[in-house]
Amino acid sequence: MARTTQLRTYTVREGLLDEWVRRWRADIVPLRLDLGFEIGGAWVDRERNQFVWLVSYDGPETFAERNALYWSSPARKAMSLDPDEYLLSTDDRTVEEHY
């Protein structure tokens, strides 16, 4: 399958941005990497209380199939991390690299 990259923008609940970043870095990133995803970077926009990151997958499955594997994995379920406790909204966009 072709490489797929998503630009993800999360609006985080007031007062939880730093905690979200810690949990994302400690829990989400290692599992994503273990499952073959690549993290292209992550940024915090404190003015808007947003967290922005790039996640890519280039493997035998589609991004959607691999993402479903991530969500259904025992390791993800063991995290006890419910995004709804932290995130007010999410905007996931599939983007193409041109530079």
Side-chain angles (χ1 to χ4, degrees):
M1 299 302 303
R3 176 183 181 85
T4 300
T5 300
Q6 285 189 349
L7 171 65
R8 295 181 169 198
T9 303
Y10 300 163
T11 301
V12 181
R13 294 181 187 282
E14 189 68 37
L16 295 179
L17 186 57
D18 290 327
E19 184 179 338
W20 169 257
V21 171
R22 281 192 298 277
R23 292 292 310 267
W24 176 84
R25 189 178 296 140
D27 299 330
I28 294 171
V29 170
L31 181 56
R32 287 279 182 184
L33 296 176
D34 285 348
L35 292 175
F37 291 92
E38 295 176 30
I39 308 300
W43 302 266
V44 170
D45 179 346
R46 291 195 184 277
E47 184 177 320
R48 293 176 181 83
N49 219 45
Q50 291 184 325
F51 178 76
V52 180
W53 63 299
L54 288 170
V55 59
S56 301
Y57 178 72
D58 185 7
E61 301 154 314
T62 66
F63 187 98
E65 290 167 336
R66 199 59 166 188
N67 199 50
L69 178 65
Y70 164 80
W71 282 103
S72 66
S73 71
R76 179 60 184 90
K77 292 176 182 173
M79 275 183 212
S80 299
L81 174 61
D82 180 359
D84 289 338
E85 292 179 10
Y86 292 90
L87 308 180
L88 293 172
S89 66
T90 63
D91 180 29
D92 301 342
R93 299 177 185 204
T94 300
V95 294
E96 297 176 4
E97 186 174 356
H98 284 274
Y99 179 74

